[in-house]
Amino acid sequence: MSRRWANVLGILLGVIFAAMMVQWVNHRSGVRHTRGEILSECDGSIREIVVQYVSGADGARQVLAAFLRQLPKTVKIHLVCPDSAAYDEWSAGGETDARRAQPISVGHDMTAWSRDRWVALKQPGANATFLFHPRAEAGADAWPQRAGDQQIASDLARCLAPAVRDLPSRLLFDGGDFLTDAQTVFVTPAVCQRNNVGTSADMQRLSDELQAAFSKNIVFLSDAPPHHVGMYMALLPGKVALVGDPSLALQFVPSLATSVLASPDFSPDTQHQFDAVAETARRQGYHVVRIPTAVDRDGKTYLTYVNGLIDHEGANSVVYMPTFAGVEALNAAAEQVWRDRGFEVRRVDCTGVYRSFGTLHCLVNVLKRT
């Protein structure tokens, strides 16, 4: 072998060895190479969504039908069902817009809550969307439907290939544990708890891993209500954070106590948790706007007006805002906050699902924006 080819071979071997070492170091540290950027929830126009339906989930079907009636016809809808019987039940409601959904039958148990199954990552210049999903679902060992939910990302990747690919993570999380705009991902305390983060070094490793996966600044909410972040905060374009405020719902206590919440919680401790979220957003440079929010003492039942979906239709900014029967004055007060921020408000009645601890944002997962 000539000296020239020996040098070329040596360089190639060196490059291969260096790449293997980087891969080994990243594996040891738990950090994965990024596959893209997590999809902003407030930028761009919605182009594809994923919803889920199971037989008997009438409340979810009513909410989704009310939402789909207002959604532009250009948006592609993927409907995940356990079987054809569930799809037939979905279609039997007579809603033309509900029937336009393209069915994906997965052949196993599942729930109707689409948002927690995965988060979408988009790689610039690539056609594929990656579904970043947890290695396990909470309660899957004892709850067959949640065990089935664990497979949804892979089901979608199989049925929608090559445009969609699944990207399993070693981490434990719900999709609702993250809220993101163009720059930042806010992360609930539950992610640290589920992944046994106990030291500052653990926290740094988790932050590095999420930053590598999401390609955005990671902000942990160290003090926050014990729920998914979209239940108490929404991010708006222009670095604005809309944060729930129980104190703004105090004037509606009589109607809340007698109709829609068993035991409204306006305690100082609960107010502090919402205020702490607002303060964290301020420290990150966000302009914080507060919006009326009421929560029950169970900590999970919310009358929330941030747990919706933001879209942009040309120059028109739209929010699909949850509303609730029996509290029209509260609905109107929250709607005015959105209107003051320049949004067209499209109401979606979530009365049928909020007692199950979620509303519209929890039922819809955005797969693609442009």
Side-chain angles (χ1 to χ4, degrees):
M1 179 184 300
S2 69
R3 178 173 295 180
R4 176 171 174 268
W5 283 109
N7 290 339
V8 170
L9 180 59
I11 292 171
L12 287 174
L13 290 174
V15 170
I16 294 171
F17 178 75
M20 292 173 63
M21 286 300 296
V22 169
Q23 185 177 21
W24 180 82
V25 169
N26 284 339
H27 174 75
R28 293 279 295 176
S29 65
V31 176
R32 302 186 61 152
H33 286 296
T34 182
R35 296 293 183 90
E37 181 179 288
I38 186 172
L39 202 64
S40 170
E41 297 188 55
C42 63
D43 297 287
S45 301
I46 296 174
R47 287 293 174 256
E48 294 186 44
I49 63 171
V50 175
V51 296
Q52 298 176 197
Y53 181 72
V54 297
S55 295
D58 292 335
R61 179 164 56 84
Q62 292 165 6
V63 171
L64 289 170
F67 166 62
L68 297 180
R69 279 197 301 270
Q70 303 178 79
L71 195 67
K73 305 294 185 184
T74 53
V75 177
K76 183 180 293 186
I77 305 160
H78 304 285
L79 173 67
V80 180
C81 294
D83 48 42
S84 58
Y87 178 72
D88 291 342
E89 183 178 301
W90 163 278
S91 302
E95 294 283 352
T96 301
D97 292 286
R99 290 200 300 270
R100 89 180 209 244
Q102 302 178 15
I104 296 175
S105 181
V106 296
H108 57 71
D109 288 333
M110 48 175 273
T111 73
W113 302 102
S114 177
R115 180 65 177 88
D116 289 337
R117 311 289 72 88
W118 45 268
V119 295
L121 309 182
K122 183 62 179 177
Q123 191 174 49
N127 293 324
T129 297
F130 293 89
L131 306 187
F132 185 78
H133 60 95
R135 63 179 171 86
E137 291 276 346
D141 292 341
W143 191 357
Q145 290 83 359
R146 289 303 295 267
D149 282 345
Q150 189 173 325
Q151 305 175 53
I152 297 293
S154 298
D155 294 329
L156 288 167
R158 182 181 67 254
C159 295
L160 301 178
V164 174
R165 297 173 59 183
D166 71 322
L167 179 60
S169 169
R170 69 172 188 86
L171 299 174
L172 296 172
F173 59 85
D174 286 344
D177 288 326
F178 308 117
L179 185 70
T180 182
D181 60 5
Q183 299 90 23
T184 304
V185 183
F186 287 89
V187 183
T188 65
V191 175
C192 294
Q193 297 162 7
R194 289 172 178 164
N195 293 283
N196 298 316
V197 172
T199 67
S200 59
D202 292 338
M203 180 74 80
Q204 187 59 56
R205 280 192 291 270
L206 178 60
S207 179
D208 290 344
E209 185 159 1
L210 292 174
Q211 190 165 28
F214 296 160
S215 301
K216 291 183 182 178
N217 182 41
I218 304 299
V219 175
F220 291 101
L221 296 169
S222 59
D223 193 0
H227 211 330
H228 292 145
V229 62
M231 295 294 282
Y232 48 80
M233 179 166 67
L235 299 177
L236 282 56
K239 209 161 186 182
V240 175
L242 197 57
V243 181
D245 189 340
S247 72
L248 296 179
L250 273 172
Q251 61 183 299
F252 307 103
V253 167
S255 61
L256 294 178
T258 58
S259 60
V260 294
L261 291 180
S263 182
D265 183 0
F266 296 102
S267 66
D269 287 345
T270 294
Q271 182 68 44
H272 167 78
Q273 291 175 332
F274 283 85
D275 292 344
V277 172
E279 183 56 31
T280 297
R282 286 192 189 96
R283 290 199 302 268
Q284 294 298 319
Y286 283 79
H287 173 63
V288 174
V289 178
R290 306 303 293 269
I291 187 168
T293 302
V295 58
D296 197 84
R297 292 190 184 278
D298 62 13
K300 295 294 185 181
T301 306
Y302 274 55
L303 301 181
T304 174
Y305 299 94
V306 295
N307 196 245
L309 290 152
I310 291 174
D311 195 10
H312 300 280
E313 299 174 6
N316 190 31
S317 295
V318 175
V319 60
Y320 296 92
M321 186 190 80
T323 58
F324 311 92
V327 288
E328 184 51 43
L330 182 60
N331 293 337
E335 179 174 335
Q336 189 59 51
V337 175
W338 280 103
R339 291 192 180 280
D340 288 345
R341 302 308 307 176
F343 280 81
E344 175 191 335
V345 177
R346 296 178 185 171
R347 292 186 171 203
V348 179
D349 187 351
C350 292
T351 306
V353 296
Y354 79 94
R355 289 186 178 89
S356 298
F357 312 145
T359 65
L360 179 62
H361 186 265
C362 306
L363 290 169
V364 180
N365 213 339
V366 178
L367 181 64
K368 186 176 180 180
R369 289 178 182 261
T370 56

